[in-house]
Amino acid sequence: MATIKLPASPQSAVSKIPIVGTPLEVAEVKNIPPQLLFRYASVKPSLLQKVIDKVTDVVTFKSTGPPRQPYRCPRCQASDPDVTVPVMNACSIRPSPTVDVECVNGHWARYPCPGL
């Protein structure tokens, strides 16, 4: 069985450049209504979400549609877990241009929701 290697175009390349949130100071977080804050514990990925995320990555990689970029905390190290799933969850819970999400290390940042 033969396979065909198709040339990759710049439009089909998967961009893994992360979207970095805007850090929020403690005073800013205190001024945001609690119902608009998304704590890591309330939106952390479940096992099912992790599996769905991996499948989505594979489908995105193989599709010719626009790639999904990962989200990163502005205060964390590059080796720390990203905040893509919590941001996606927060955006689906409260559709808006931006959401305020806490990372696993307790840092708060504002992230743009995709497609808005």
Side-chain angles (χ1 to χ4, degrees):
M1 182 191 301
T3 58
I4 300 172
K5 185 173 183 178
L6 298 174
S9 68
Q11 293 83 9
S12 66
V14 175
S15 174
K16 289 296 181 182
I17 298 171
I19 296 170
V20 179
T22 304
L24 298 173
E25 299 299 326
V26 174
E28 290 176 289
V29 173
K30 287 181 180 179
N31 289 331
I32 298 170
Q35 67 272 19
L36 300 180
L37 293 173
F38 295 93
R39 298 194 177 282
Y40 180 79
S42 66
V43 293
K44 68 181 179 180
S46 67
L47 179 58
L48 178 60
Q49 287 169 326
K50 288 179 185 177
V51 170
I52 290 171
D53 194 45
K54 292 296 180 191
V55 169
T56 303
D57 282 345
V58 170
V59 170
T60 300
F61 181 73
K62 293 186 178 205
S63 74
T64 57
R68 188 186 75 196
Q69 291 179 281
Y71 284 81
R72 302 270 332 143
C73 172
R75 293 192 171 127
C76 288
Q77 304 271 336
S79 59
D80 288 334
D82 69 26
V83 293
T84 304
V85 172
V87 169
M88 293 295 127
N89 287 346
C91 289
S92 69
I93 292 169
R94 181 180 164 258
S96 70
T98 61
V99 289
D100 302 317
V101 177
E102 177 188 40
C103 77
V104 67
N105 295 322
H107 306 134
W108 285 94
R110 181 164 291 144
Y111 300 93
C113 287
L116 295 175

